[in-house]
Amino acid sequence: MTATFIKSSPSLEQCPAHSLPEYAFIGRSNVGKSSLINMLTNNAKLSKVSSKPGKTKLINHFLVDEAWYLVDLPGYGFAKQSKSERERFAKMISYYVRKREQLTLLFVLLDIRLEPQQIDLEFIQMLGENGVPFALVFTKADKISATEQRANTDRYRRTLLQTWEELPEIFITSSEKRAGGEEILKYITSTNDQLPATN
Ligand code: GTP
Ligand code: MG
């Protein structure tokens, strides 16, 4: 696989023009979006990772195999940002996910250690209301046992089934242990294969 950084954009309007499918990664700040993109592309330096939340501040486009894009987004819900900065990020993210025509699927990342968080449930709700296709990715699986992983993901499924009739695709990953990436890549490949041909 070849993955190339194309552009960092401060707003939807400035995102690159193209007609290839895009797969974007969103979730709370520090959940592991940039780390996951680096694992998927097998390039530890592609997207900047930091132990401090709020690292990714722009919409970052990476072209994969000249055929599709990975998009790294800034996180939402970072408490230590100023209110105006938080609102600016929220707007940037919400515009991108609702209006970006090339967006084929949004991966919503969730820290596997946590019980369902209001902010994530509200974000998922917003996706549903706007008809944005998404899948869930649990991150940092290396931080808890297999039994706890099962318990926490089951709890999440039960919570979602209170409002959703059907569950989305769900992935369990660890960027630290390089686990779960193949399944995501396979899912992207099969989604691309089902898209109508463009040209
Ligand atoms: P923002 O850009 O600030 O929104 O954060 P992000 O979601 O891109 O998170 P990032 O990938 O920068 O990772 C945040 C921190 O979590 C870093 O210290 C990573 O090393 C760590 N991290 C990410 N994924 C994993 C994982 O699977 N396991 C463990 N143990 N740590 C992880
Ligand atoms: Mg990041």
Side-chain angles (χ1 to χ4, degrees), residues 7-17 61 100:
K7 190 181 179 190
S8 291
S9 316
S11 71
L12 172 68
E13 289 75 22
Q14 290 161 78
C15 285
H61 278 77
R100 181 71 169 165

Side-chain angles (χ1 to χ4, degrees), residues 1-6 16 18-25 36-42 46 60-72 96 100 102-107 181-193 195 198:
M1 178 204 273
T2 63
T4 320
F5 169 73
I6 300 294
H18 65 78
S19 54
L20 296 173
E22 286 187 7
Y23 295 84
F25 294 79
L36 184 70
I37 286 183
N38 291 346
M39 171 172 77
L40 294 175
T41 55
N42 207 7
L46 194 65
N60 297 293
H61 278 77
F62 303 95
L63 178 59
V64 181
D65 293 339
E66 310 287 322
W68 53 279
Y69 282 85
L70 280 172
V71 182
D72 194 10
Y96 172 84
R100 181 71 169 165
Q102 295 91 331
L103 179 62
T104 299
L105 188 82
L106 184 66
F107 289 97
E182 287 305 319
E183 288 77 6
I184 293 179
L185 288 174
K186 261 188 218 150
Y187 188 64
I188 290 175
T189 304
S190 80
T191 305
N192 280 336
D193 289 345
L195 293 174
T198 53

Side-chain angles (χ1 to χ4, degrees), residues 33-34 47-48 55-56 72-73:
K33 300 175 291 296
S34 300
S47 192
K48 289 200 185 73
K55 181 70 181 175
T56 307
D72 194 10
L73 296 167

Side-chain angles (χ1 to χ4, degrees), residues 28-35 49-51 53-56 75 140 142-143 174-176:
R28 290 208 301 169
S29 203
N30 214 42
V31 71
K33 300 175 291 296
S34 300
S35 303
V49 168
S50 168
S51 57
K55 181 70 181 175
T56 307
K140 309 194 183 185
D142 57 282
K143 298 233 188 205
S174 165
S175 300
E176 183 79 22

